[in-house]
Amino acid sequence: MDTLASPSETQKTCLSAKQSSRTIGLVPTMGYLHEGHLALVRRARAENDLVVVSIFVNPTQFGPAEDLERYPRDLVRDLALLTEENVDVVFTPDVSGMYPEQPATFVEVPGVSEVLCGASRPGHFRGVASVVTKLFNIVQPDRSYFGQKDYQQTIVIRKMVRDLNIPVQIIICPTVRESDGLAMSSRNSLLGPHDRVKASQLILALKKGEAALLNGERDPLRVAGAIRGLLAETREIFVDYIEVVDAEDLKKKSGISDKDRVLLALAVRIGGVRLIDNLVVNVSS
Ligand code: PAF
Protein backbone atom coordinates (compact mmCIF):
# COMPACT_ATOMS: atom_id res chain seq x y z
CA MET A 1 0.00 0.00 0.00
CA ASP A 2 1.36 3.43 -0.96
CA THR A 3 0.68 6.32 1.40
CA LEU A 4 0.99 9.57 -0.53
CA ALA A 5 0.56 13.05 0.87
CA SER A 6 1.31 14.99 -2.30
CA PRO A 7 -1.62 15.77 -4.64
CA SER A 8 0.67 15.88 -7.69
CA GLU A 9 2.33 12.57 -6.86
CA THR A 10 -1.07 10.97 -6.27
CA GLN A 11 -2.32 12.36 -9.57
CA LYS A 12 0.76 10.98 -11.36
CA THR A 13 0.23 7.51 -9.83
CA CYS A 14 -3.46 7.52 -10.80
CA LEU A 15 -2.83 8.80 -14.34
CA SER A 16 -0.29 6.07 -14.92
CA ALA A 17 -2.82 3.44 -13.73
CA LYS A 18 -5.37 4.89 -16.18
CA GLN A 19 -2.85 4.81 -19.02
CA SER A 20 -2.49 1.08 -18.46
CA SER A 21 -6.31 0.79 -18.57
CA ARG A 22 -6.70 0.00 -14.89
CA THR A 23 -9.99 1.13 -13.37
CA ILE A 24 -9.84 3.30 -10.25
CA GLY A 25 -12.24 3.29 -7.30
CA LEU A 26 -12.06 6.22 -4.87
CA VAL A 27 -13.39 6.23 -1.30
CA PRO A 28 -13.20 9.80 0.03
CA THR A 29 -13.09 9.93 3.86
CA MET A 30 -12.15 12.19 6.72
CA GLY A 31 -10.51 9.26 8.51
CA TYR A 32 -11.16 7.73 11.94
CA LEU A 33 -12.44 4.80 9.94
CA HIS A 34 -15.24 2.47 11.01
CA GLU A 35 -17.10 -0.46 9.47
CA GLY A 36 -19.20 1.95 7.37
CA HIS A 37 -16.05 3.20 5.62
CA LEU A 38 -14.69 -0.32 5.33
CA ALA A 39 -17.89 -1.48 3.59
CA LEU A 40 -17.24 1.22 0.95
CA VAL A 41 -13.62 0.11 0.63
CA ARG A 42 -14.65 -3.54 0.19
CA ARG A 43 -17.13 -2.62 -2.53
CA ALA A 44 -14.46 -0.51 -4.25
CA ARG A 45 -11.99 -3.41 -3.95
CA ALA A 46 -14.48 -5.79 -5.58
CA GLU A 47 -15.20 -3.45 -8.50
CA ASN A 48 -11.90 -1.80 -9.44
CA ASP A 49 -8.29 -2.58 -10.27
CA LEU A 50 -6.84 0.23 -8.17
CA VAL A 51 -8.44 1.32 -4.87
CA VAL A 52 -7.62 4.79 -3.56
CA VAL A 53 -8.82 5.97 -0.13
CA SER A 54 -8.40 9.64 0.73
CA ILE A 55 -8.12 10.76 4.34
CA PHE A 56 -8.49 14.49 4.73
CA VAL A 57 -10.39 16.46 7.36
CA ASN A 58 -11.45 19.23 5.04
CA PRO A 59 -11.57 22.58 6.87
CA THR A 60 -13.70 24.32 4.23
CA GLN A 61 -16.74 22.21 5.09
CA PHE A 62 -16.68 23.16 8.79
CA GLY A 63 -18.25 26.42 10.01
CA PRO A 64 -16.33 28.67 12.43
CA ALA A 65 -18.24 27.35 15.48
CA GLU A 66 -18.11 23.69 14.43
CA ASP A 67 -16.02 20.74 15.58
CA LEU A 68 -13.02 20.88 13.17
CA GLU A 69 -10.47 20.83 16.02
CA ARG A 70 -12.37 18.15 17.92
CA TYR A 71 -12.94 15.91 14.90
CA PRO A 72 -11.44 12.50 15.82
CA ARG A 73 -8.23 11.47 14.06
CA ASP A 74 -6.04 8.34 14.22
CA LEU A 75 -3.98 7.93 11.06
CA VAL A 76 -1.88 5.03 12.37
CA ARG A 77 -4.99 2.95 13.08
CA ASP A 78 -6.60 3.98 9.76
CA LEU A 79 -3.54 2.87 7.79
CA ALA A 80 -3.49 -0.49 9.59
CA LEU A 81 -7.18 -1.04 8.72
CA LEU A 82 -6.64 -0.10 5.08
CA THR A 83 -3.62 -2.39 4.77
CA GLU A 84 -5.89 -5.24 5.91
CA GLU A 85 -8.37 -4.32 3.17
CA ASN A 86 -5.71 -4.53 0.49
CA VAL A 87 -6.04 -0.89 -0.52
CA ASP A 88 -3.51 0.26 -3.14
CA VAL A 89 -3.12 3.97 -2.38
CA VAL A 90 -4.00 6.07 0.65
CA PHE A 91 -3.99 9.78 -0.14
CA THR A 92 -3.31 11.76 3.05
CA PRO A 93 -2.77 15.39 2.06
CA ASP A 94 -2.35 18.10 4.65
CA VAL A 95 -4.22 21.39 4.54
CA SER A 96 -1.35 23.26 2.87
CA GLY A 97 -1.09 20.54 0.22
CA MET A 98 -4.78 20.77 -0.67
CA TYR A 99 -5.02 24.55 -0.29
CA PRO A 100 -1.54 25.96 -1.04
CA GLU A 101 -3.15 29.35 -1.58
CA GLN A 102 -6.49 30.89 -0.65
CA PRO A 103 -8.91 29.29 -3.16
CA ALA A 104 -11.03 31.61 -5.31
CA THR A 105 -12.96 28.85 -7.06
CA PHE A 106 -15.77 26.90 -5.41
CA VAL A 107 -18.43 24.50 -6.55
CA GLU A 108 -21.94 25.39 -5.44
CA VAL A 109 -24.96 23.15 -5.87
CA PRO A 110 -27.91 25.37 -4.98
CA GLY A 111 -31.36 23.90 -4.46
CA VAL A 112 -30.21 20.76 -2.69
CA SER A 113 -27.56 22.41 -0.49
CA GLU A 114 -29.48 24.95 1.62
CA VAL A 115 -32.08 22.61 3.06
CA LEU A 116 -31.76 20.01 5.87
CA CYS A 117 -28.12 20.11 7.12
CA GLY A 118 -27.36 23.07 4.84
CA ALA A 119 -29.84 25.26 6.76
CA SER A 120 -27.87 25.01 10.01
CA ARG A 121 -24.46 24.54 8.35
CA PRO A 122 -24.29 27.33 5.75
CA GLY A 123 -21.40 26.76 3.33
CA HIS A 124 -20.99 23.12 4.38
CA PHE A 125 -22.00 21.60 1.03
CA ARG A 126 -20.01 24.18 -0.91
CA GLY A 127 -16.97 22.93 1.03
CA VAL A 128 -17.91 19.30 0.37
CA ALA A 129 -18.63 19.79 -3.36
CA SER A 130 -15.40 21.76 -3.84
CA VAL A 131 -13.13 19.29 -2.06
CA VAL A 132 -14.77 16.28 -3.73
CA THR A 133 -14.20 17.97 -7.12
CA LYS A 134 -10.54 18.42 -6.20
CA LEU A 135 -10.30 14.76 -5.17
CA PHE A 136 -11.95 13.69 -8.44
CA ASN A 137 -9.45 15.81 -10.40
CA ILE A 138 -6.49 14.40 -8.49
CA VAL A 139 -7.53 10.72 -8.55
CA GLN A 140 -9.70 10.67 -11.73
CA PRO A 141 -11.69 7.68 -10.47
CA ASP A 142 -14.04 5.61 -12.61
CA ARG A 143 -16.21 5.06 -9.53
CA SER A 144 -16.50 6.81 -6.19
CA TYR A 145 -18.20 5.40 -3.11
CA PHE A 146 -20.31 7.22 -0.49
CA GLY A 147 -22.48 6.08 2.41
CA GLN A 148 -26.22 6.64 2.58
CA LYS A 149 -25.85 7.97 6.12
CA ASP A 150 -24.79 11.28 4.56
CA TYR A 151 -27.81 11.19 2.26
CA GLN A 152 -27.88 14.89 1.41
CA GLN A 153 -24.17 14.78 0.55
CA THR A 154 -24.85 11.97 -1.95
CA ILE A 155 -27.61 14.03 -3.60
CA VAL A 156 -25.35 17.11 -3.81
CA ILE A 157 -22.49 15.10 -5.32
CA ARG A 158 -24.70 13.27 -7.82
CA LYS A 159 -26.21 16.56 -8.99
CA MET A 160 -22.74 18.15 -9.27
CA VAL A 161 -21.42 15.20 -11.30
CA ARG A 162 -24.39 15.36 -13.68
CA ASP A 163 -24.29 19.15 -14.05
CA LEU A 164 -20.53 19.26 -14.71
CA ASN A 165 -20.26 16.03 -16.76
CA ILE A 166 -17.65 14.66 -14.39
CA PRO A 167 -16.79 11.20 -15.74
CA VAL A 168 -17.27 9.24 -12.53
CA GLN A 169 -19.95 6.83 -11.40
CA ILE A 170 -21.27 7.65 -7.92
CA ILE A 171 -22.09 4.56 -5.91
CA ILE A 172 -24.15 4.88 -2.74
CA CYS A 173 -23.84 2.10 -0.18
CA PRO A 174 -26.30 1.34 2.64
CA THR A 175 -25.77 2.81 6.10
CA VAL A 176 -23.87 0.43 8.36
CA ARG A 177 -25.31 0.33 11.90
CA GLU A 178 -24.17 -0.72 15.36
CA SER A 179 -26.04 -3.66 16.91
CA ASP A 180 -28.56 -1.26 18.52
CA GLY A 181 -29.18 0.51 15.21
CA LEU A 182 -27.07 3.63 15.69
CA ALA A 183 -25.65 4.65 12.31
CA MET A 184 -21.87 4.31 12.34
CA SER A 185 -20.11 7.66 12.35
CA SER A 186 -16.67 8.86 13.37
CA ARG A 187 -18.44 11.36 15.65
CA ASN A 188 -20.00 8.53 17.72
CA SER A 189 -16.61 8.25 19.44
CA LEU A 190 -17.21 11.70 20.97
CA LEU A 191 -20.34 10.49 22.84
CA GLY A 192 -20.10 9.71 26.55
CA PRO A 193 -21.68 6.41 27.69
CA HIS A 194 -25.06 7.92 28.69
CA ASP A 195 -25.29 9.92 25.51
CA ARG A 196 -24.36 6.85 23.50
CA VAL A 197 -27.44 5.09 24.92
CA LYS A 198 -29.63 8.10 24.04
CA ALA A 199 -28.28 8.04 20.48
CA SER A 200 -29.85 4.63 19.90
CA GLN A 201 -33.25 6.38 19.93
CA LEU A 202 -32.59 7.99 16.54
CA ILE A 203 -33.25 4.91 14.46
CA LEU A 204 -36.26 4.00 16.63
CA ALA A 205 -37.71 7.44 15.96
CA LEU A 206 -37.13 7.14 12.21
CA LYS A 207 -38.75 3.71 12.26
CA LYS A 208 -41.76 5.23 13.99
CA GLY A 209 -42.06 7.65 11.08
CA GLU A 210 -41.65 4.85 8.59
CA ALA A 211 -44.37 2.81 10.34
CA ALA A 212 -46.71 5.81 10.24
CA LEU A 213 -46.15 6.14 6.48
CA LEU A 214 -46.58 2.45 5.82
CA ASN A 215 -49.75 2.44 7.93
CA GLY A 216 -51.27 5.03 5.62
CA GLU A 217 -50.33 8.39 7.14
CA ARG A 218 -49.97 10.82 4.21
CA ASP A 219 -49.44 14.13 6.02
CA PRO A 220 -45.68 14.88 6.21
CA LEU A 221 -46.18 17.02 9.33
CA ARG A 222 -47.80 14.13 11.15
CA VAL A 223 -45.07 11.73 10.03
CA ALA A 224 -42.46 14.21 11.33
CA GLY A 225 -44.58 14.53 14.49
CA ALA A 226 -44.36 10.76 15.08
CA ILE A 227 -40.55 10.96 14.86
CA ARG A 228 -40.41 14.03 17.13
CA GLY A 229 -42.74 12.37 19.65
CA LEU A 230 -40.44 9.42 20.14
CA LEU A 231 -37.34 11.63 20.49
CA ALA A 232 -39.17 13.78 23.05
CA GLU A 233 -39.38 10.76 25.36
CA THR A 234 -35.61 11.00 25.94
CA ARG A 235 -34.26 14.01 27.81
CA GLU A 236 -31.61 16.18 26.25
CA ILE A 237 -31.87 15.11 22.67
CA PHE A 238 -31.87 18.54 21.02
CA VAL A 239 -33.47 18.44 17.59
CA ASP A 240 -31.89 20.50 14.82
CA TYR A 241 -34.38 19.28 12.20
CA ILE A 242 -36.76 16.48 11.39
CA GLU A 243 -37.81 16.55 7.75
CA VAL A 244 -39.99 14.46 5.48
CA VAL A 245 -38.98 15.34 1.92
CA ASP A 246 -38.83 13.96 -1.60
CA ALA A 247 -35.95 11.48 -1.73
CA GLU A 248 -34.79 12.70 -5.19
CA ASP A 249 -34.74 16.49 -4.91
CA LEU A 250 -35.09 16.99 -1.12
CA LYS A 251 -38.10 19.28 -1.65
CA LYS A 252 -40.72 19.54 1.07
CA LYS A 253 -43.93 17.73 0.32
CA SER A 254 -47.36 19.14 1.04
CA GLY A 255 -48.85 15.67 0.84
CA ILE A 256 -47.51 12.21 0.18
CA SER A 257 -48.83 9.92 -2.54
CA ASP A 258 -48.65 6.14 -2.72
CA LYS A 259 -46.03 6.29 -5.48
CA ASP A 260 -43.60 8.54 -3.58
CA ARG A 261 -40.09 7.75 -2.43
CA VAL A 262 -39.70 9.74 0.75
CA LEU A 263 -36.66 10.67 2.81
CA LEU A 264 -37.10 10.79 6.57
CA ALA A 265 -34.09 12.74 7.81
CA LEU A 266 -33.03 14.14 11.14
CA ALA A 267 -30.17 15.93 12.83
CA VAL A 268 -29.86 16.23 16.60
CA ARG A 269 -27.35 17.23 19.23
CA ILE A 270 -26.67 14.88 22.10
CA GLY A 271 -24.07 15.94 24.67
CA GLY A 272 -22.78 18.58 22.25
CA VAL A 273 -22.27 16.05 19.43
CA ARG A 274 -24.19 16.56 16.20
CA LEU A 275 -25.60 13.32 14.79
CA ILE A 276 -27.57 12.71 11.60
CA ASP A 277 -29.53 9.75 10.33
CA ASN A 278 -32.15 8.96 7.71
CA LEU A 279 -34.38 6.32 6.17
CA VAL A 280 -35.66 6.21 2.61
CA VAL A 281 -39.19 4.83 2.37
CA ASN A 282 -40.93 3.60 -0.77
CA VAL A 283 -44.43 4.48 0.28
CA SER A 284 -46.05 1.85 -1.96
CA SER A 285 -44.23 -0.95 -0.14
O1 PAF B 1 -18.27 12.28 4.06
C1 PAF B 1 -17.15 12.72 4.33
O2 PAF B 1 -16.37 12.13 5.07
C2 PAF B 1 -16.70 14.05 3.72
O3 PAF B 1 -17.75 14.95 3.61
C3 PAF B 1 -15.99 13.89 2.36
C4 PAF B 1 -16.90 13.31 1.31
C5 PAF B 1 -14.77 13.00 2.53
C6 PAF B 1 -15.50 15.26 1.85
O4 PAF B 1 -14.63 15.86 2.75
Side-chain angles (χ1 to χ4, degrees):
M1 187 173 82
D2 288 333
T3 304
L4 304 175
S6 148
S8 59
E9 214 184 315
T10 305
Q11 196 174 47
K12 232 164 87 188
T13 302
C14 293
L15 283 175
S16 109
K18 278 183 102 68
Q19 270 154 13
S20 39
S21 301
R22 299 178 75 202
T23 57
I24 303 178
L26 169 67
V27 182
T29 81
M30 299 207 297
Y32 212 76
L33 303 178
H34 50 67
E35 278 298 317
H37 296 115
L38 298 182
L40 306 180
V41 171
R42 287 174 197 140
R43 174 100 187 251
R45 181 71 284 165
E47 295 180 349
N48 301 278
D49 299 319
L50 190 88
V51 175
V52 181
V53 176
S54 62
I55 298 180
F56 179 59
V57 183
N58 171 40
T60 71
Q61 67 189 73
F62 288 80
E66 293 185 7
D67 59 352
L68 173 62
E69 300 308 329
R70 247 181 114 200
Y71 197 86
R73 294 160 168 90
D74 189 344
L75 186 59
V76 172
R77 181 175 160 276
D78 289 348
L79 293 179
L81 289 169
L82 296 176
T83 306
E84 288 280 298
E85 299 300 332
N86 210 11
V87 164
D88 299 292
V89 177
V90 187
F91 175 44
T92 57
D94 56 21
V95 175
S96 62
M98 282 298 264
Y99 302 108
E101 54 191 80
Q102 190 64 33
T105 310
F106 294 94
V107 181
E108 308 238 23
V109 191
V112 288
S113 292
E114 307 84 354
V115 294
L116 308 178
C117 286
S120 46
R121 304 188 71 189
H124 171 65
F125 289 110
R126 170 171 122 144
V128 170
S130 301
V131 80
V132 170
T133 303
K134 283 168 75 71
L135 292 169
F136 286 169
N137 285 333
I138 293 165
V139 176
Q140 309 211 6
D142 297 275
R143 302 181 187 86
S144 188
Y145 298 81
F146 297 86
Q148 192 197 306
K149 198 212 83 192
D150 297 298
Y151 189 89
Q152 186 174 10
Q153 170 169 282
T154 68
I155 294 286
V156 168
I157 291 169
R158 277 200 156 145
K159 176 82 177 123
M160 169 185 97
V161 162
R162 283 201 306 273
D163 284 355
L164 300 181
N165 301 86
I166 303 178
V168 60
Q169 190 185 346
I170 302 301
I171 294 169
I172 315 299
C173 299
T175 302
V176 178
R177 297 182 179 278
E178 303 286 355
S179 56
D180 64 356
L182 176 64
M184 287 200 185
S185 162
S186 306
R187 287 191 172 94
N188 293 351
S189 65
L190 301 172
L191 292 166
H194 294 298
D195 291 330
R196 170 65 189 78
V197 173
K198 290 180 190 174
S200 63
Q201 296 301 301
L202 304 189
I203 185 63
L204 298 180
L206 288 168
K207 287 204 161 140
K208 193 102 197 215
E210 178 184 47
L213 267 174
L214 297 179
N215 287 328
E217 181 56 67
R218 294 291 177 263
D219 177 349
L221 290 177
R222 293 175 75 97
V223 175
I227 298 172
R228 193 176 295 277
L230 194 133
L231 292 179
E233 289 171 18
T234 303
R235 286 177 51 190
E236 295 178 342
I237 295 183
F238 300 103
V239 173
D240 175 359
Y241 68 78
I242 295 169
E243 296 280 3
V244 178
V245 295
D246 185 279
E248 306 307 318
D249 60 13
L250 309 183
K251 290 209 163 61
K252 275 197 203 259
K253 305 190 74 66
S254 51
I256 298 167
S257 90
D258 287 354
K259 289 200 199 98
D260 284 341
R261 220 172 132 253
V262 170
L263 174 74
L264 310 181
L266 57 78
V268 302
R269 270 179 193 285
I270 302 179
V273 181
R274 190 172 189 280
L275 299 174
I276 58 173
D277 200 357
N278 67 79
L279 282 181
V280 175
V281 184
N282 285 308
V283 177
S284 59
S285 63

